[in-house]
């Protein structure tokens, strides 16, 4: 009964072009891949909470795909990329190897590590994409995703670097180094907080304190080292516990998510918010959420940068079409479009110097949003991201020693 | 005759029972097997209680269980009290009664998730009430306003359930009161009982079965709902359904049997509420309310 | 007189409390920023509504999909719930108490307890991520409501009219259409209203079984609520409560009066 009913209801969801066999695709030329991709549908799962980004993806990218390649781009908004990792994981567990629901994911960091460790990613095809030539794979910040080698399992999309935001009308001269910030917090009780790790953004703030306590990032790079961790961690928890009584709600509770903290900042409850993607500040000002007088800045001792990527799951039935999407996202024109502050303001993941002259001119002509500190400014003091094992240890340690 | 009648009854019931059996009971069954770590496909063919032992001895689980019991208990109790008052009020005639009755029914149609976001915008420390308090000079800044959402006592979550369940229980009580009529109370009054005595000793006992049955529904729902604590809850401890779903969606597959064990514990409590409900309502042939 | 004043005040408080949570949602949907301590937004804007109705946001498609799922769930539930309700309402039989419990349990046992196991079952059937899978999942809490409401309707249904029609030579489907259906229609409407609303409000079953592929309105709403776009959240919330309101107004005729089948006749 159930099965026949199911079979009946399933008739409406038959697949069109099936390019689940990734190994076969790797043997083709790019033109053949594009031909196979024609008429396909790409289910792209991505964080869906920013209307500008949604519009860029659905309208701009989706429009080009439809017009030039006959590909339908189906953007699926999710609240957190970990949900998508779980979908693919469940499918693999249930033996769904060639008819997965996910064709493309916007991803990085711990989620990438999870997918790579569980063999959930389609790998080793990126050389096929013509626009792969625009990517500087010699840059370790591109070829490693939070310390995990990319190994051709994902394609870079944006580069970001952590920055703080403040309201210049309220606080004209914010502290510019971690030491000054810690002093400021103690001098201004109740006006600072950070989201409780494992929130993505709260976790990266704690890592900045961790670097500060360790006297810089150099000693922390490479594989996890318990002795070096213990040394830096003890100092970090001491610092964070010392400032705790001076935090919002006396540090008795922390915001659950970066969004809750953004609300606190928008309503003037705290003096700072921060983000891994400073373009978000500009988008929030455009949406009226933050005041026009919002400004952003990095720290003189540096802020952490990373790259985010798109990834094709091993069981995607539309791999060819997903590859065409990735290639389009890497193109100079598409990267230029999303770099415009009114579109998104995202920093490119490609080498601008390798693009066509008119694209280079386009990048040169971009005037950043007044609220968004420029990538060049931030890049003057950039810190690398730690390997994922360090992150896990820091997050667990925070919970045990600070957030209890 | 009896044979054909019996066949007829079976045929009438079969589609519903087969569908629910195929969906609900197979899902519970699979959940039970997995919570016992019985998954032959990955080599686990010896069922054991390891997941239950791990769950029941974890302080995180016990804190979540305690929180969810508190949420469900407090929400049910407060909702029942206000709903009783509201039903007694709506039984009377006064201007605007029809309008409030309409609002009660309207409230039934509003999804919980909308109510939860509305409560969040009303009661957060920079929400509507905090702004009114600021305008009235009661607070100097948002931090002075009491923490009513994302708070350790789950006040925001309870407020949402009270908002949603008062009309639900209220409508059930109102219908019961209409069915009971006012004759019994009038008799008691004529024998010298005060209004209060007539209510406590005559009306309330007659309402009790309906009240207990409705409470069982509300308790089970408030205990097991996911999206409301997700929106209004504090970072720790999490409500049990949030903890269970997060364990299930953990990228570490080893956490899944524990998630299933939590689901089974929630199902067990839900099953107890089914029995309470059935105990206090007449068996089939009588209608039941919906939420 | 004092009692009257008290009633009025209590009534107004109650009415305010019922409406209050919807007010900030409605205001946010027209706000361009709305920061503490402003009682009302300084700048008003229609951009949240414009975005909600733009093809990009997918809200309109989501609305259609949510309506379709709720309608399909309701129809399927009626197809199995009306016969089952007839059996329970009209007949006494051995095992009736057990059957009632079995039909009741899925409505009371929380969805989270079922969702995780159901996900495992549907993965193997290839039903995760499909609209059909989500409809089947929604049937779990919906069939009980439909069945038990129909049982209540049939318990006061007089079968002699059917017998008369049959004795006058009407065929079974004619009896159903011309005699049974008109008699049970008001109750069926109530059952349909609840079935529709239960499906319409589902979040967890849709999230777990649909896996994001089946984007119903509550999922879209949650995505925006959890990303701090209160204006878009407000607009989607307003759109989300509208159909329920319309359905209520359409069935209001059956709901009011003696609260016909809505009345849970739990007391003698």
């Amino acid at each position: 009964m159930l099965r026949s009913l199911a079979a009946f209801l399933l008739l409406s969801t038959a697949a069109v072009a099936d390019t689940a066999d990734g190994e076969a695709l790797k043997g083709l030329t790019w033109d053949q891949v594009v031909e196979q991709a024609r008429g396909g549908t790409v289910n792209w799962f991505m964080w869906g909470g920013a209307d500008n980004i949604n519009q860029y993806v659905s309208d701009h990218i989706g429009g080009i795909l439809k017009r030039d390649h006959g590909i339908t781009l189906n953007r699926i908004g999710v609240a957190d990329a970990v949900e998508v990792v779980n979908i693919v994981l469940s499918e693999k567990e249930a033996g769904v190897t060639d008819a997965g629901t996910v064709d493309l994911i916007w991803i990085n960091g711990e989620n990438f590590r999870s997918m790579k460790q569980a063999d959930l990613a389609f790998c080793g095809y990126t050389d096929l994409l013509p626009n792969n030539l625009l990517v500087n794979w010699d840059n370790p910040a591109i070829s490693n995703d939070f310390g995990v080698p990319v190994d051709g399992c994902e394609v870079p999309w944006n580069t970001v670097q952590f920055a703080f935001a403040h309201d210049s009308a309220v606080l004209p001269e914010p502290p510019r180094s971690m030491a000054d910030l810690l002093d400021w917090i103690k001098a201004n009780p109740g006006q600072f907080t950070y989201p409780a790790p494992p929130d993505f953004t709260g976790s990266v703030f704690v890592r900045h304190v961790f670097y500060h306590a360790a006297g810089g990032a150099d000693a922390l790079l490479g594989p996890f080292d318990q002795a070096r961790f213990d040394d830096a961690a003890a100092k970090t928890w001491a610092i964070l516990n010392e400032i705790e009584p001076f935090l919002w709600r006396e540090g008795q509770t922390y915001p659950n998510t970066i969004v809750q903290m953004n609300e606190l900042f928008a309503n003037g409850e705290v003096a700072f918010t921060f983000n891994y993607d400073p373009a978000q500040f500009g988008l929030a000002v455009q949406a009226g959420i933050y005041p026009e007088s919002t400004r952003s800045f990095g720290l003189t001792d540096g802020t952490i940068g990373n790259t985010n990527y798109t990834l094709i799951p091993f069981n995607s039935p539309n791999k060819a079409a997903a590859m065409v999407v990735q290639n389009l996202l890497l193109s100079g024109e598409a990267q230029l479009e999303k770099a415009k502050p009114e579109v998104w303001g995202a920093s490119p993941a490609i080498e601008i110097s390798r693009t066509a002259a008119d694209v280079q001119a386009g990048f040169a002509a971009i005037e950043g949003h007044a609220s968004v500190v420029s990538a060049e400014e931030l890049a003057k003091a950039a810190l690398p991201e730690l390997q994922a094992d360090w992150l896990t240890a820091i997050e667990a340690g925070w919970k045990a020693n600070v957030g209890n | 005759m009896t044979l054909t009648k019996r066949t007829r009854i079976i045929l009438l019931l079969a589609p519903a029972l087969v569908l629910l059996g195929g969906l609900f009971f197979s899902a519970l069954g699979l959940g039970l097997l997995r919570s016992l770590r019985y998954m032959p496909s990955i080599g686990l063919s010896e069922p054991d209680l390891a997941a239950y032992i791990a769950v029941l001895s974890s302080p995180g689980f016990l804190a979540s269980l305690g929180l969810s019991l508190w949420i469900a208990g407090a929400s049910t109790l407060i909702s029942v009290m206000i709903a009783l008052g509201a039903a007694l009020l709506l039984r009377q005639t006064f201007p605007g009664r029809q309008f409030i009755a309409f609002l009660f029914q309207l409230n039934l149609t509003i999804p919980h998730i909308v109510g939860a976001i509305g409560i969040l915008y009303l009661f957060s420390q920079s929400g509507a009430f905090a702004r009114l308090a600021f305008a009235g000079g009661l607070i100097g800044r948002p931090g002075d306003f009491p923490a009513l959402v994302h708070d350790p006592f789950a006040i925001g979550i309870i407020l949402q359930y009270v908002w949603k369940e008062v009309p639900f229980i209220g409508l059930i009580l109102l219908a019961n009161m209409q069915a009971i009529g006012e004759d019994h109370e009038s008799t008691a009054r004529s024998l010298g009982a005060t209004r209060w005595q007539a209510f406590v000793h005559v009306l309330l006992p007659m309402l009790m079965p309906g009240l207990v049955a409705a409470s069982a529904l509300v308790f089970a729902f408030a205990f097991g709902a996911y999206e409301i604590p997700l929106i209004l809850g504090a970072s720790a401890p999490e409500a049990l359904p949030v903890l269970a779903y997060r364990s299930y969606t953990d990228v570490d597959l080893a956490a899944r049997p524990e998630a299933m064990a939590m689901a089974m514990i929630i199902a067990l409590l839900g099953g107890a509420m089914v029995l309470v409900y059935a105990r206090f309502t007449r068996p089939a042939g009588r209608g039941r309310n919906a939420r | 007189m004092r009692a009257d004043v008290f009633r009025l005040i209590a009534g107004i408080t109650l009415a305010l409390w019922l409406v209050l949570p919807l007010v900030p949602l409605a205001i946010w949907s027209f706000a361009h920023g709305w920061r503490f301590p402003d009682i009302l937004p300084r700048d008003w804007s229609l951009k949240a509504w414009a975005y909600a109705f733009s093809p990009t946001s997918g809200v309109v498609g989501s609305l259609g999909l949510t309506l379709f799922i709720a309608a399909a769930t309701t129809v399927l539930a009626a197809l199995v719930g009306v016969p089952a309700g007839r059996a329970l309402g009209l007949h006494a039989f051995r095992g009736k108490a057990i059957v009632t419990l079995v039909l009741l349990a899925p409505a009371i046992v929380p969805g989270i307890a079922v969702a995780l196991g159901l996900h495992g079952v549907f993965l193997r059937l290839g039903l995760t991520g499909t609209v059909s899978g989500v409809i089947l999942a929604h049937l779990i809490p919906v069939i009980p409501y439909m069945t038990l409401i129909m049982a209540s309707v049939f318990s006061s249904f007089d079968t002699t009219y059917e017998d008369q029609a049959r004795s006058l030579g009407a065929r079974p489907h004619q009896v159903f259409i011309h005699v049974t259906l008109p008699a049970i229609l008001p109750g069926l409407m109530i059952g349909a209203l609840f079935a529709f609303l239960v499906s319409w409000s589902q979040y967890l079953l849709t999230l777990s079984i649909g896996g994001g592929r089946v984007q119903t309105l509550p999922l879209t709403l949650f995505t925006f609520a959890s990303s701090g776009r209160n204006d878009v959240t407000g607009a989607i919330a307003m759109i989300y409560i509208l159909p329920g309101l319309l359905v209520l107004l359409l069935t209001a005729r059956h709901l009011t009066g003696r609260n016909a089948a809505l009345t849970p006749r739990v007391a003698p």
Side-chain angles (χ1 to χ4, degrees):
Chain A
M1 167 79 194
L2 181 59
R3 265 182 188 276
S4 57
L5 185 63
F8 168 72
L9 287 165
L10 268 173
L11 285 176
S12 53
T13 57
V16 194
D18 191 324
T19 52
D21 186 353
E23 294 312 309
L25 285 176
K26 286 183 203 168
L28 302 179
T29 66
W30 179 246
D31 288 340
Q32 287 170 320
V33 171
V34 171
E35 199 42 54
Q36 294 242 327
R38 192 161 289 281
T41 297
V42 175
N43 293 298
W44 183 2
F45 285 63
M46 55 181 280
W47 176 69
D51 57 345
N52 301 49
I53 300 176
N54 292 349
Q55 260 156 7
Y56 167 72
V57 169
S58 289
D59 299 353
H60 185 77
I61 299 296
I64 296 174
L65 285 169
K66 191 92 211 168
R67 190 188 68 211
D68 294 355
H69 302 287
I71 291 172
T72 305
L73 182 62
N74 186 20
R75 177 182 57 78
I76 293 148
V78 293
D80 193 326
V82 73
E83 292 171 21
V84 192
V85 177
N86 191 257
I87 292 172
V88 182
L89 192 64
S90 299
E91 287 174 351
K92 177 163 183 172
E93 198 200 357
V96 180
T97 55
D98 57 2
T101 47
V102 184
D103 298 313
L104 198 64
I105 315 178
W106 183 14
I107 196 168
N108 74 351
E110 290 161 279
N111 291 322
F112 172 63
R113 181 188 55 168
S114 302
M115 294 208 70
K116 202 173 169 215
Q117 274 178 356
D119 285 326
L120 300 177
F122 173 44
C123 296
Y125 65 92
T126 45
D127 290 343
L128 258 177
L129 313 182
N131 288 330
N132 190 47
L133 292 172
L134 302 175
V135 179
N136 180 9
W137 287 105
D138 293 332
N139 178 356
I142 299 261
S143 56
N144 296 285
D145 182 347
F146 282 63
V148 179
V150 168
D151 291 341
C153 298
E154 53 181 5
V155 172
W157 191 24
N158 307 288
T159 54
V160 294
Q161 192 177 343
F162 185 86
F164 291 86
H166 66 108
D167 182 353
S168 61
V170 177
L171 180 68
E173 280 305 320
R176 299 281 177 171
S177 70
M178 186 50 83
D180 289 350
L181 176 66
L182 294 171
D183 289 341
W184 187 94
I185 292 168
K186 282 181 261 183
N188 297 275
Q191 295 193 49
F192 187 88
T193 190
Y194 54 93
D199 174 79
F200 190 66
T201 315
S203 174
V204 72
F205 172 78
V206 171
R207 288 200 290 284
H208 281 91
V209 179
F210 195 80
Y211 287 10
H212 173 73
D218 296 346
L220 310 172
L221 299 180
F224 183 73
D225 181 299
Q226 190 69 46
R228 281 184 289 161
F229 172 81
D230 290 343
D231 183 45
K235 293 182 202 161
T236 308
W237 312 145
I239 293 173
L240 291 175
N241 281 320
E242 192 190 333
I243 60 167
E244 194 171 72
F246 303 98
L247 298 180
W248 170 78
R249 287 196 192 175
E250 281 91 41
Q252 283 165 4
T253 185
Y254 291 83
N256 294 340
T257 63
I258 184 61
V259 177
Q260 274 182 32
M261 195 172 93
N262 291 342
E263 285 282 324
L264 298 178
F265 174 69
N267 290 299
E269 287 189 70
V270 295
F272 299 96
T273 187
F274 38 73
N275 207 293
Y276 226 143
D277 178 9
Q280 299 294 331
F281 305 142
L283 297 182
V285 170
Q286 284 172 28
I289 300 171
Y290 296 167
E292 295 281 345
S293 47
T294 300
R295 294 294 176 271
S296 53
F297 62 95
L299 296 176
T300 49
D301 25 3
T303 55
I304 300 175
N306 78 33
T307 307
N308 53 63
Y309 302 80
T310 58
L311 177 149
I312 304 175
F314 79 104
N315 62 354
S316 154
N318 298 297
K319 291 195 178 73
M323 287 162 74
V324 173
V325 177
Q326 286 185 317
N327 189 56
L328 174 64
L329 292 173
L330 273 185
S331 70
E333 292 76 10
Q335 291 272 324
L336 170 61
E337 179 71 14
K338 76 174 167 60
K340 294 174 183 166
E342 68 276 16
V343 176
W344 177 353
S347 297
I350 56 171
E351 291 292 306
I352 298 172
S353 59
R354 298 183 189 177
T355 59
D358 58 327
V359 173
Q360 294 193 30
F363 272 108
I366 287 180
E367 274 190 50
H369 191 285
S371 298
V372 181
V373 56
S374 74
E376 297 76 41
E377 179 67 29
L378 282 174
K380 286 177 191 163
L383 298 170
E385 192 51 273
L386 294 179
Q387 290 195 11
D389 291 338
W390 288 86
L391 267 65
T392 317
I394 294 173
E395 286 168 6
W398 183 88
K399 215 174 172 93
N401 295 285
V402 183
N404 47 12
Chain B
M1 179 61 202
T2 46
L3 189 75
T4 51
K5 188 188 163 198
R6 187 151 189 87
T7 316
R8 207 175 130 73
I9 290 172
I10 290 171
L11 284 176
L12 286 172
L13 286 170
L17 287 176
V18 168
L19 250 183
L20 281 184
L23 295 166
F24 179 73
F25 291 98
S26 72
L28 279 186
L30 188 83
L32 182 66
L33 289 180
R34 293 213 160 175
S35 71
L36 297 169
R37 308 200 323 131
Y38 181 77
M39 281 180 271
S41 63
I42 57 165
L44 291 173
S45 51
E46 289 290 316
D48 62 40
L49 290 172
Y52 287 91
I53 294 167
V55 162
L56 289 170
S57 58
S58 126
F61 168 80
L62 295 175
S64 291
L65 177 66
L67 179 72
S68 283
L69 287 172
W70 154 249
I71 291 172
S75 306
T76 308
L77 200 67
I78 299 172
S79 303
V80 161
M81 309 238 280
I82 300 180
L84 254 178
L88 288 171
L89 178 74
L90 288 178
R91 193 164 65 141
Q92 320 282 338
T93 47
F94 63 95
R97 195 188 74 94
Q98 281 293 332
F99 179 63
I100 296 175
F102 173 76
L103 288 181
F104 262 49
Q105 289 173 354
L106 173 67
N107 183 294
L108 284 185
T109 71
I110 297 173
H112 276 272
I113 191 169
V114 173
I117 299 170
I119 295 282
L120 178 68
Y121 292 171
L122 271 187
F123 287 100
S124 80
Q125 285 182 305
S126 54
F129 281 122
R131 292 168 196 221
L132 290 173
F134 180 85
L138 294 173
I139 62 168
R141 58 196 198 97
D144 299 339
F145 193 77
L148 299 177
V149 296
H150 305 129
D151 61 302
F153 303 106
I155 296 171
I157 300 172
I158 294 169
L159 280 170
Q160 199 279 338
Y161 288 131
V162 170
W163 180 70
K164 193 72 179 117
E165 306 302 357
V166 161
F168 172 67
I169 304 175
L171 284 175
I172 291 181
L173 289 177
L174 205 58
N176 279 358
M177 287 178 184
Q178 280 173 356
I180 294 167
E182 303 203 12
D183 296 350
H184 305 280
E185 282 170 279
S186 311
T187 313
R189 293 290 300 279
S190 69
L191 294 173
T194 63
R195 271 180 100 84
W196 175 249
Q197 285 170 329
F199 169 69
V200 171
H201 297 294
V202 180
L203 183 60
L204 199 55
M206 297 183 82
L207 288 175
M208 223 38 184
L211 205 53
V212 174
S215 301
L217 290 181
V218 171
F219 190 91
F221 185 84
F223 183 80
Y226 170 77
E227 65 269 30
I228 293 105
L230 190 66
I231 291 172
L232 292 168
S235 52
E238 296 166 301
L240 191 52
V242 178
L243 182 69
Y245 194 69
R246 216 169 40 74
S247 305
Y248 183 71
T249 54
D250 197 299
V251 287
D252 181 5
L253 284 177
R256 286 200 178 181
E258 292 178 23
M260 292 298 186
M262 291 186 227
M264 288 305 110
I265 291 167
I266 296 172
L268 204 65
L269 189 129
M273 291 301 123
V274 174
L275 293 179
V276 170
Y277 183 89
R279 168 76 184 72
F280 284 91
T281 46
R282 283 277 200 89
R286 302 293 187 169
R288 259 123 195 134
N289 213 321
R291 189 188 317 266
Chain C
M1 189 59 211
R2 253 193 72 236
D4 276 355
V5 174
F6 172 75
R7 266 179 225 151
L8 199 64
I9 292 172
I12 291 171
T13 313
L14 199 58
L16 272 179
W17 169 243
L18 287 171
V19 181
L20 218 47
L22 302 179
V23 175
L25 286 167
I27 298 177
W28 259 115
S29 73
F30 295 104
H32 178 78
W34 186 19
R35 285 188 290 277
F36 189 88
D38 301 340
I39 303 277
L40 287 174
R42 288 183 198 179
D43 301 310
W44 300 86
S45 161
L46 285 172
K47 67 180 165 41
W49 286 95
Y51 178 70
F53 282 109
S54 74
T56 316
S57 72
V59 170
V60 176
S62 208
L63 176 70
L65 180 68
T66 318
L67 281 172
F68 171 75
I69 290 174
T73 306
T74 304
V75 170
L76 289 173
L79 286 178
V80 301
V82 170
R86 184 179 177 109
L88 288 175
L90 284 179
H91 304 286
F93 54 91
R94 207 146 45 87
K96 186 167 165 179
I98 301 284
V99 169
T100 309
L101 272 186
V102 165
L103 285 171
L104 180 65
I108 299 182
V109 172
I112 179 91
V114 194
L116 307 189
L118 192 68
H119 184 244
V121 176
F122 276 16
L123 257 177
R124 278 154 186 81
L125 294 172
L127 283 167
T128 48
T130 67
V131 173
S132 343
V134 169
I135 293 173
L136 283 173
H138 283 195
L139 281 173
I140 293 177
V142 167
I143 288 177
Y145 283 118
M146 185 61 101
T147 306
L148 294 171
I149 288 175
M150 290 322 293
S152 157
V153 172
F154 275 107
S155 68
S156 56
F157 175 73
D158 192 346
T159 51
T160 50
Y161 294 113
E162 287 179 348
D163 298 338
Q164 284 168 6
R166 225 172 280 124
S167 70
L168 293 171
R171 294 174 170 280
H173 71 270
Q174 288 173 322
V175 175
F176 182 77
I177 289 171
H178 295 293
V179 180
T180 319
L181 193 59
I184 64 168
L185 195 60
L188 186 59
M189 295 283 284
I190 303 291
L193 171 68
F194 281 114
F196 183 91
L197 288 174
V198 169
S199 165
W200 181 250
S201 310
Q202 279 303 323
Y203 178 79
L204 186 69
L205 283 174
T206 315
L207 176 72
S208 55
I209 303 303
R213 278 280 290 276
V214 183
Q215 273 285 328
T216 55
L217 270 182
L219 271 69
T220 313
L221 181 67
F222 186 79
T223 300
F224 278 97
S226 64
S227 62
R229 283 306 298 268
N230 299 1
D231 51 348
V232 180
T233 305
I236 299 175
M238 291 296 110
I239 294 170
Y240 190 23
I241 61 177
L242 209 63
L245 180 65
L246 288 177
V247 172
L248 177 71
L249 290 175
L250 284 176
T251 50
R253 198 161 47 89
H254 306 289
L255 272 171
T256 48
R258 286 279 297 155
N259 275 341
L262 180 68
T263 310
R265 274 162 280 171
V266 281

